[in-house]
Amino acid sequence: MTAKKGAQPIIIVRKKADHHDDEHGGAWKVAYADFVTAMMALFIVLWLLSASEKVQKAVGGYFQDPTGKGKQVGSTSAGIGETLTLSEKQLKEIKEKIEQAMKQIPEFKDMQNQIKMTMTAEGLRIDLLETKRGLFFDTGNPTPTAAGGELLKMLASELIKLPNKVAIEGHTDSTPYGRPDYSNWELSADRANAARRILTESGLDDSRISQVRGFADQRLLLKDDPTNPSNRRISIIVRNQGMDEQDAKLAGAQPTAALPPKPVKSEKPSAVMLPAPTAAAKK
């Protein structure tokens, strides 16, 4: 094929793309930013490890409640007069400390299987379960035994170290009490109060006692065996933050008053036309 005469030649211009070296890119900036962030995190961790316990609690309180609505947020004050939020880790630490302290009691070998510690939504619950012969309280007696009093004194020495409020519960089994004027209700409440007195006499401030409850046999530990001695127990609860506030709100909440029924409009009775008396009626 030959080009036509007089046609303009076609010129193709090819541009060679410039390739920059890798060292002139921006990837190193991302890597450097990651390195600086990691170093900052390391310095913060090292600072927290060397900081005091109050500072650690204050920083932890901020991350648990960044909105600032809690009682201990971004402050070194430990919430005087209020309880602290107990995390699962803190509850486990308290549980281990109490277990270690109980091992120092000579009678601990006889009672270690009768002490149950569980972590609940309310806080750390310590249940002192009775035996058939009566370990912490003699059967039918509201006064603690020597072993029960010793254990309560030890618990008081550990509870003093915590700022949390404490609730005390008394429970019985379903066996009826032998006196008509003294039932399981009185017995459970008296045992809870006896435990409270020992705790306060051992140094626990009375203002730390949040509630003293007597439940009789209404909250059995072994529902399938209501007369089992383990149902007779004293429960000491190290309460979480907010529990007392919630109780106060519930106690102070005004019940919604029922609206009075709308009055029914009574219609005026229409006049009744009586028939005209007959001659016999007139007589």
Side-chain angles (χ1 to χ4, degrees):
M1 252 180 99
T2 57
K4 295 181 180 181
K5 293 182 179 181
Q8 296 293 330
I10 299 175
I11 301 174
I12 299 174
V13 179
R14 294 182 179 180
K15 293 184 177 180
K16 186 178 180 181
D18 295 332
H19 295 282
H20 297 282
D21 296 335
D22 292 339
E23 62 269 18
H24 297 295
W28 68 273
K29 298 178 182 178
V30 178
Y32 181 72
D34 292 341
F35 171 75
V36 172
T37 304
M39 291 299 294
M40 185 181 298
L42 175 62
F43 292 146
I44 291 175
V45 172
L46 294 176
W47 171 71
L48 283 175
L49 290 176
S50 61
S52 63
E53 185 178 359
K54 288 185 178 181
V55 174
Q56 292 177 0
K57 288 183 177 180
V59 175
Y62 171 78
F63 285 103
Q64 290 178 3
D65 186 13
T67 59
K69 295 181 180 179
K71 294 294 180 183
Q72 184 191 7
V73 178
S75 171
T76 56
S77 63
I80 299 174
E82 298 291 340
T83 57
L84 300 177
T85 301
L86 289 177
S87 64
E88 186 175 355
K89 181 180 178 181
Q90 290 173 318
L91 286 173
K92 288 181 179 179
E93 291 176 354
I94 296 172
K95 181 172 178 275
E96 291 174 359
K97 289 180 180 179
I98 293 176
E99 287 176 345
Q100 292 297 326
M102 285 190 298
K103 290 180 181 179
Q104 300 177 6
I105 301 176
E107 297 86 357
F108 178 71
K109 291 182 180 180
D110 299 330
M111 63 176 67
Q112 60 180 342
N113 295 328
Q114 302 305 120
I115 301 172
K116 180 182 178 183
M117 295 189 194
T118 53
M119 288 172 288
T120 66
E122 188 178 5
L124 176 63
R125 173 179 286 269
I126 306 170
D127 290 314
L128 310 183
L129 311 180
E130 285 295 347
T131 60
K132 187 174 182 180
R133 293 185 302 171
L135 179 60
F136 305 108
F137 290 85
D138 291 329
T139 303
N141 195 331
T143 304
T145 61
E150 191 69 22
L151 179 61
L152 289 170
K153 291 177 183 178
M154 183 280 305
L155 287 174
S157 65
E158 293 299 320
L159 295 175
I160 291 171
K161 304 173 185 178
L162 304 173
N164 301 73
K165 297 262 187 173
V166 175
I168 307 171
E169 295 178 352
H171 303 266
T172 66
D173 56 22
S174 295
T175 304
Y177 201 80
R179 286 165 45 187
D181 60 337
Y182 193 86
S183 65
N184 284 331
W185 287 105
E186 285 82 7
L187 180 61
S188 62
D190 288 346
R191 285 181 172 177
N193 261 317
R196 176 193 61 80
R197 284 191 292 269
I198 293 178
L199 291 177
T200 54
E201 290 171 0
S202 301
L204 184 65
D205 195 273
D206 193 61
S207 62
R208 295 271 309 283
I209 304 296
S210 173
Q211 298 176 7
V212 178
R213 316 162 182 163
F215 287 105
D217 60 344
Q218 297 304 301
R219 297 190 179 182
L220 296 173
L221 187 64
L222 303 175
K223 296 182 180 180
D224 296 333
D225 191 4
T227 59
N228 192 294
S230 295
N231 290 315
R232 306 198 310 264
R233 65 196 189 277
I234 288 292
S235 302
I236 299 172
I237 304 100
V238 183
R239 306 194 83 199
N240 260 327
Q241 182 183 14
M243 294 292 107
D244 295 286
E245 295 175 0
Q246 291 179 11
D247 294 343
K249 287 180 181 179
L250 291 175
Q254 296 294 332
T256 305
L259 296 176
K262 294 182 179 180
V264 179
K265 295 182 180 180
S266 58
E267 298 180 356
K268 294 182 179 180
S270 57
V272 179
M273 302 299 293
L274 298 176
T278 59
K282 287 181 179 179
K283 293 180 180 179

